[in-house]
Amino acid sequence: GPEEVLLAGALWVTERANPFFLLQRRRGHGKGGGLTGLLVGTLDVVLDSSARVAPYRILHQTQDSQVYWAVACGSSRKEITKHWEWLENNLLQTLSIFDNEEDITTFVKGKIHGIIAEENKNEQPQSEEDPGKFKEAELKMRKQFGMPEVEKLVNYYSCSYWKGRVPRQGWLYLTVNHLCFYSFLLGKEVTLVIQWVDVTQLEKNATLLFPECIKVSTRDSELYFSMFLNINETFKLMEQLANIAMRQLLDNESFLQDKSLPKPRRPLKNISALKRDLDARAKNECYRATFRLPKDECLDGHTDCTLWTPFNKMHIPGQMFVSNNYICFASRAEEACHLIIPLREVTIVEKADSSSVLPSPLSISTKSKMTFFFANLKDRDFLVQRISDFLQRTPSKKPCGIDREWKWNVADPSSEEVPELPSNSPLAVSPTSALGHRPVNFCAGQVPTASQGLLKLFRRNSEELSGPKGAKEKMKEESWNIHFFEYGRGMCMYRTAKTRELVQKGIPENLRGELWLLFSGAWNEMVTHPGYYADLVEKSMGRYNLATEEIERDLHRSMPEHPAFQNELGIAALRRVLTAYAFRNPTIGYCQAMNIVTSVLLLYCNEEEAFWLLVALCERMLPDYYNTRVVGALVDQGIFEELTREYLPQLSEKMQDLGVISTISLSWFLTLFLSVMPFESAVVIVDCFFYEGIKFILQVSLAILDANMDKLLQCCDEGEAMTILGRYLDNVVNRQSVSPPIPHLHALLTSGDDPPLEIDIFELIKTSYEKFGNLKADDIEQMRFKQRLKVIQSLEDTAKKSVVRAVSGDIGFSMEELEELYVVFKSPLLWRHNLPC
């Protein structure tokens, strides 16, 4: 800790000073110093005191005291300057608040002690006793705050809590269910205990009064914590714990510790198993979201490397990620290249000879005759061993014709109505057989199964196919065929800026189902669960519950204008897919808007493919959208409002006054514009969504508001604004569509003397990228966390008011007392349910 120094000037030269600190250099080090410097330097060398005395130090001083305290030392000017800058940035403003010099010294000494203790805690354990420090802190936490033994400490940090304008130096304890703080300074004690489920907002910011700090808001108070040694690590952990609490409020999903984490190769810092678990969860979630992988995929590790890209003959720097079923690559440049290699496709993993030009190369070959070359791999032997271990565990299934040749020729013998598809059709597959190799007749004796996209079965003879639009469609198909030749086809395709450029121009109808499956990641889940959909359909057939009643009610409201859903074949396929999903995921069951999205999926995919696309939508790409409270859509609505304030500040205030955003965004987001835009235009939005995710829906929504800004600013009420937006969306056209226009029953707001102005969907998409294309997926996820706290706490408040109103009456309690009773009864239930297992 800080050491007392009586003579600050002896053998030292002061180089910097402020009212509270001195930065000194020992004489004999650096330039100058004269005879005295030479003497001191000689003594240090002769007596070997240089091994014990650092050449630089920082002293704490107060104006009237003769005693100094050494608070930092350094072996180089760079090191001591870093310490000096930290003190200036984090302590100077705080110390100026104190009136008493003794209080200043006590605070500084307490702060330095806290930093040293935290540094010691994070040192790598060199003996079996070191991990005991964490257990000691956990015992202290339980005793100090009266926590039961089942409450687990995740981590603890030295920091200051601001009580008014006075900082209280102490320790912050983060447990699974609580945020706790304790300080004892100059006879004054501060104890704080906050449940994570009560947190309404977490912010990391800096103000004039508070240096870089973390603000924790509840319904009743705002708390500020600052002077962390590593504020980013602390804030990230607080976000994770608050997120777990929100998830528990949302669907009663308690925290389960992952017992199957891989053992680290090197000794870890002295962190708890829970902290390690949470760090792994965060990395896994980011990995799965980046590459659209199944929810149970766990990242094993990642390493820097280069990838040889044959399409431009370059070695692209990036990172390789290895998990139990996939090898993935992401370039450092965001759009340069993404790659996903399922281990089920790998045939050869081979170490090539190293050279000065290409050190530590590794080649990976797949069943589709593609070979990928990685180089500059650190610890290549260990990496190859890990991949080999995972390959041995990979089930040896015969896949259903993937990658380069997506051609299936499986006919459903039960259906005489289904025409035979040409051999080059990318989606000529029965939803029952290609995966499990067992034909299943879902509705024997009733309605034949839709063994391909319904659009192929119900496409009316269109003159467009032989006209200019047909020629344009063929050009698009040819562009994609060239792309497949250069970049590969199927899951192992190189995904680059060129891929996105083709998606923005609209996916050809014959390739739409295939590419939706690829870009969404639904293909991975489908091929690894052969026969799953057929089993679900079989088990759910003839069973009835609330979800099936709602499905039946909405079946004939799902694209009734399309001929595919004006007959029993399309309706029965839609019924089977929605019912199967309701039985797969009873937490969601069925939600309105799922029928509209699923009906569009069935136009381009067979039943099984549509089912897995629906799984990808509900469980990964639009999380929490389709539950009874549409929480996910409300969260993204909050993000939309935030982005409107940032990008369209003029319009934001007006929209808030009119209350329009909350009205429009739910229908836009829940149905991916399918319910508010002509079908042939909205399906291009869906193309981009499956490639880009929610980022694209937000940016195109901003582009729509921007295009209508002048008119919206002149609006007097919500109805007028809704009419303007409805008329605009109703006239977004796709002049390249080869399908005959489908009667559009969405907005029907085109009446008037003047003919409506048509908006080209591809121009709208281009504008959205030009003006709002800088949105980042990582930033959106961060905003989702912030909005999720607000939305779920708001829903909790609404639920509390509903319960209180329901029981109020002649029971002798006021509304305020009933609300307090609600909290008293609910807290123990949440506590018991959220104990770590």
Side-chain angles (χ1 to χ4, degrees):
E3 295 180 359
E4 188 175 351
V5 177
L6 295 175
L7 296 173
L11 309 182
W12 294 84
V13 179
T14 299
E15 294 198 336
R16 291 191 189 183
N18 61 44
F20 303 106
F21 299 100
L22 300 175
L23 189 156
Q24 295 187 325
R25 172 178 54 81
R26 190 163 174 82
R27 294 180 187 274
H29 292 271
K31 296 180 181 179
L35 186 60
T36 309
L38 287 173
L39 178 61
V40 174
T42 302
L43 287 172
D44 281 346
V45 172
V46 171
L47 300 175
D48 198 26
S49 59
S50 57
R52 291 176 278 112
V53 180
Y56 298 93
R57 71 180 182 183
I58 297 174
L59 302 181
H60 165 61
Q61 63 166 5
T62 53
Q63 194 171 3
D64 297 330
S65 174
Q66 300 300 314
V67 179
Y68 295 77
W69 294 89
V71 296
C73 62
S75 57
S76 66
R77 187 178 297 277
K78 183 179 179 181
E79 182 183 359
I80 202 67
T81 301
K82 185 179 177 183
H83 294 323
W84 179 264
E85 288 174 351
W86 189 92
L87 290 169
E88 282 194 326
N89 293 334
N90 290 275
L91 287 188
L92 273 191
Q93 195 170 3
T94 304
L95 297 180
S96 62
I97 295 170
F98 290 91
D99 297 322
N100 188 309
E101 290 187 355
E102 187 178 338
D103 291 355
I104 292 174
T105 300
T106 304
F107 179 84
V108 170
K109 288 164 66 178
K111 184 66 194 173
I112 300 304
H113 274 295
I115 291 173
I116 291 169
E118 190 164 344
E119 279 292 307
N120 290 339
K121 178 195 73 174
N122 288 330
E123 285 179 1
Q124 290 190 353
Q126 297 177 356
S127 67
E128 292 183 0
E129 296 178 8
D130 280 340
K133 290 179 182 176
F134 193 89
K135 293 178 182 176
E136 184 182 320
E138 190 167 47
L139 290 170
K140 185 178 178 182
M141 176 272 299
R142 290 203 188 109
K143 183 179 178 182
Q144 192 70 55
F145 302 103
M147 296 290 175
E149 194 146 335
V150 289
E151 178 68 342
K152 299 294 184 183
L153 178 65
V154 181
N155 214 349
Y156 59 105
Y157 302 93
S158 169
C159 70
S160 292
Y161 160 63
W162 291 78
K163 193 170 184 181
R165 295 189 61 184
V166 180
R168 301 287 181 178
Q169 179 62 32
W171 288 92
L172 182 72
Y173 298 88
L174 305 181
T175 73
V176 171
N177 296 294
H178 297 87
L179 177 155
C180 308
F181 177 83
Y182 180 77
S183 170
F184 185 84
L185 190 64
L186 304 175
K188 295 181 179 178
E189 188 177 50
V190 176
T191 303
L192 296 173
V193 179
I194 300 166
Q195 287 192 73
W196 289 116
V197 292
D198 293 331
V199 173
T200 57
Q201 191 173 14
L202 276 177
E203 284 185 292
K204 184 179 67 173
N205 53 26
T207 64
L208 288 174
L209 180 59
F210 305 114
E212 193 172 31
C213 66
I214 295 174
K215 174 185 171 184
V216 181
S217 302
T218 66
R219 290 175 178 83
D220 307 316
S221 60
E222 293 181 348
L223 311 172
Y224 293 87
F225 300 91
S226 68
M227 287 181 263
F228 292 93
L229 194 62
N230 189 336
I231 191 169
N232 291 327
E233 178 195 321
T234 311
F235 185 70
K236 183 179 176 183
L237 180 57
M238 292 168 81
E239 280 189 323
Q240 285 178 290
L241 292 168
N243 221 5
I244 289 170
M246 292 308 104
R247 173 59 55 188
Q248 199 268 334
L249 279 175
L250 180 60
D251 53 21
N252 292 323
E253 179 184 295
S254 61
F255 177 77
L256 296 173
Q257 186 177 347
D258 190 349
K259 307 288 186 182
S260 61
L261 286 174
K263 291 184 179 179
R265 293 177 59 207
R266 300 181 180 87
L268 285 173
K269 291 180 178 179
N270 184 21
I271 61 173
S272 69
L274 280 173
K275 175 69 166 64
R276 181 170 156 248
D277 179 12
L278 287 170
D279 289 344
R281 284 173 187 235
K283 289 178 181 177
N284 286 335
E285 286 170 9
C286 181
Y287 171 61
R288 290 191 292 260
T290 301
F291 299 103
R292 306 272 171 82
L293 299 178
K295 292 183 77 174
D296 56 353
E297 195 64 20
C298 293
L299 179 65
D300 188 69
H302 58 89
T303 183
D304 291 336
C305 67
T306 58
L307 171 67
W308 170 253
T309 48
F311 51 87
N312 60 3
K313 296 180 172 53
M314 290 177 63
H315 292 281
I316 296 180
Q319 283 193 318
M320 175 193 282
F321 301 83
V322 178
S323 57
N324 40 339
N325 294 296
Y326 299 88
I327 299 169
C328 300
F329 174 85
S331 57
R332 283 183 196 160
E334 189 176 354
E335 293 181 17
C337 184
H338 268 214
L339 181 65
I340 302 167
I341 308 173
L343 290 181
R344 63 179 181 269
E345 288 304 301
V346 173
T347 54
I348 300 172
V349 178
E350 191 174 23
K351 290 186 286 186
D353 294 334
S354 290
S355 67
S356 57
V357 179
L358 210 60
S360 304
L362 180 69
S363 73
I364 298 174
S365 302
T366 67
K367 295 173 184 175
S368 56
K369 312 301 182 192
M370 293 183 75
T371 301
F372 304 95
F373 291 100
F374 299 90
N376 294 284
L377 288 158
K378 296 177 182 176
D379 211 348
R380 178 180 61 167
D381 292 341
F382 175 77
L383 178 66
V384 171
Q385 184 58 53
R386 291 301 292 163
I387 294 173
S388 299
D389 291 343
F390 288 132
L391 280 171
Q392 288 177 2
R393 300 177 208 164
T394 303
S396 55
K397 304 185 183 78
K398 185 178 179 182
C400 52
I402 72 168
D403 289 330
R404 275 199 177 276
E405 298 298 326
W406 284 57
K407 298 176 183 177
W408 301 296
N409 293 286
V410 184
D412 186 344
S414 67
S415 173
E416 295 180 359
E417 293 183 28
V418 179
E420 185 176 347
L421 294 176
S423 60
N424 63 352
S425 170
L427 291 173
V429 61
S430 163
T432 62
S433 50
L435 299 176
H437 302 289
R438 55 185 180 122
V440 178
N441 184 5
F442 292 146
C443 302
Q446 297 179 26
V447 180
T449 301
S451 61
Q452 56 185 306
L454 293 174
L455 201 62
K456 291 181 181 293
L457 303 179
F458 294 95
R459 176 181 279 159
R460 291 164 291 183
N461 293 327
S462 173
E463 297 176 4
E464 307 287 0
L465 291 173
S466 56
K469 291 184 179 181
K472 180 77 173 175
E473 185 78 355
K474 289 188 182 302
M475 286 174 62
K476 282 186 185 180
E477 289 182 13
E478 186 57 32
S479 296
W480 275 100
N481 286 331
I482 293 169
H483 186 276
F484 293 147
F485 180 77
E486 292 182 0
Y487 297 84
R489 186 168 187 172
M491 191 52 66
C492 298
M493 176 200 300
Y494 294 97
R495 303 170 196 214
T496 68
K498 178 67 175 175
T499 316
R500 186 168 85 170
E501 185 183 318
L502 285 176
V503 172
Q504 288 174 26
K505 292 177 180 177
I507 297 174
E509 289 192 352
N510 286 336
L511 295 174
R512 193 159 262 146
E514 171 187 337
L515 293 174
W516 284 0
L517 286 164
L518 278 183
F519 297 146
S520 66
W523 176 251
N524 285 321
E525 293 185 279
M526 188 170 76
V527 298
T528 53
H529 293 81
Y532 178 88
Y533 174 68
D535 289 340
L536 264 183
V537 171
E538 205 170 330
K539 289 174 185 174
S540 61
M541 201 178 298
R543 296 175 62 183
Y544 299 95
N545 55 27
L546 182 59
T548 58
E549 288 178 18
E550 291 176 342
I551 289 168
E552 286 298 323
R553 188 175 63 239
D554 286 348
L555 283 175
H556 293 276
R557 303 175 188 171
S558 308
M559 294 192 71
E561 63 271 28
H562 198 286
F565 299 99
Q566 293 169 358
N567 69 88
E568 192 54 31
L569 177 62
I571 294 295
L574 183 59
R575 178 187 292 116
R576 283 191 292 268
V577 173
L578 291 173
T579 304
Y581 186 78
F583 277 84
R584 167 190 165 86
N585 191 343
T587 305
I588 291 178
Y590 171 76
C591 173
Q592 281 190 335
M594 286 172 69
N595 60 318
I596 296 171
V597 175
T598 306
S599 61
V600 174
L601 299 179
L602 281 166
L603 289 177
Y604 297 98
C605 305
N606 65 51
E607 284 183 36
E608 185 172 33
E609 293 161 352
F611 170 79
W612 286 111
L613 277 169
L614 186 62
V615 169
L617 273 173
C618 296
E619 298 175 15
R620 289 189 289 106
M621 298 189 74
L622 297 175
D624 303 321
Y625 261 57
Y626 300 105
N627 55 32
T628 52
R629 299 190 284 182
V630 293
V631 171
L634 292 172
V635 167
D636 286 347
Q637 174 186 298
I639 294 174
F640 184 40
E641 291 178 2
E642 198 172 329
L643 291 173
T644 305
R645 282 193 295 273
E646 181 181 345
Y647 287 97
L648 306 170
Q650 282 181 284
L651 188 58
S652 174
E653 191 174 340
K654 181 73 173 180
M655 297 294 278
Q656 289 294 329
D657 292 342
L658 297 174
V660 173
I661 286 185
S662 58
T663 308
I664 59 174
S665 54
L666 278 182
S667 59
W668 293 4
F669 296 169
L670 278 168
T671 65
L672 304 176
F673 287 93
L674 290 164
S675 65
V676 294
M677 198 180 278
F679 165 75
E680 55 272 13
S681 301
V683 79
V684 183
I685 299 279
V686 179
D687 290 343
C688 296
F689 166 74
F690 277 125
Y691 190 77
E692 295 275 21
I694 192 61
K695 165 189 176 300
F696 176 76
I697 300 297
L698 291 166
Q699 78 181 39
V700 85
S701 300
L702 288 170
I704 291 166
L705 291 187
D706 183 55
N708 291 278
M709 184 185 296
D710 293 339
K711 292 180 181 177
L712 290 171
L713 288 173
Q714 302 302 317
C715 288
C716 300
D717 55 44
E718 180 187 0
E720 187 180 352
M722 292 295 294
T723 301
I724 288 168
L725 290 171
R727 182 176 291 122
Y728 178 89
L729 290 169
D730 204 35
N731 289 287
V732 176
V733 298
N734 180 358
R735 298 187 181 95
Q736 299 176 15
S737 175
V738 293
S739 298
I742 298 167
H744 177 40
L745 305 179
H746 303 132
L748 297 178
L749 296 168
T750 56
S751 59
D753 297 330
D754 299 325
L757 180 66
E758 290 187 340
I759 303 95
D760 185 82
I761 181 62
F762 298 104
E763 283 299 316
L764 176 61
I765 289 172
K766 182 182 175 183
T767 302
S768 79
Y769 275 101
E770 289 172 350
K771 292 190 174 183
F772 311 106
N774 60 344
L775 292 179
K776 303 292 182 197
D778 292 345
D779 295 338
I780 290 171
E781 284 307 311
Q782 186 68 31
M783 293 165 78
R784 270 180 166 171
F785 163 76
K786 180 180 172 183
Q787 293 296 333
R788 194 177 292 120
L789 283 180
K790 286 184 183 177
V791 168
I792 294 179
Q793 294 293 15
S794 173
L795 290 171
E796 281 297 300
D797 289 343
T798 303
K800 179 171 69 175
K801 288 174 183 175
S802 298
V803 170
V804 167
R805 276 199 300 268
V807 299
S808 62
D810 301 328
I811 56 173
F813 289 104
S814 67
M815 296 291 278
E816 290 76 14
E817 289 170 333
L818 285 171
E819 286 184 3
E820 289 177 10
L821 280 171
Y822 176 91
V823 173
V824 168
F825 277 99
K826 183 157 187 176
S827 293
L829 292 173
L830 287 172
W831 169 266
R832 283 198 296 271
H833 202 287
N834 203 31
L835 292 177
C837 302

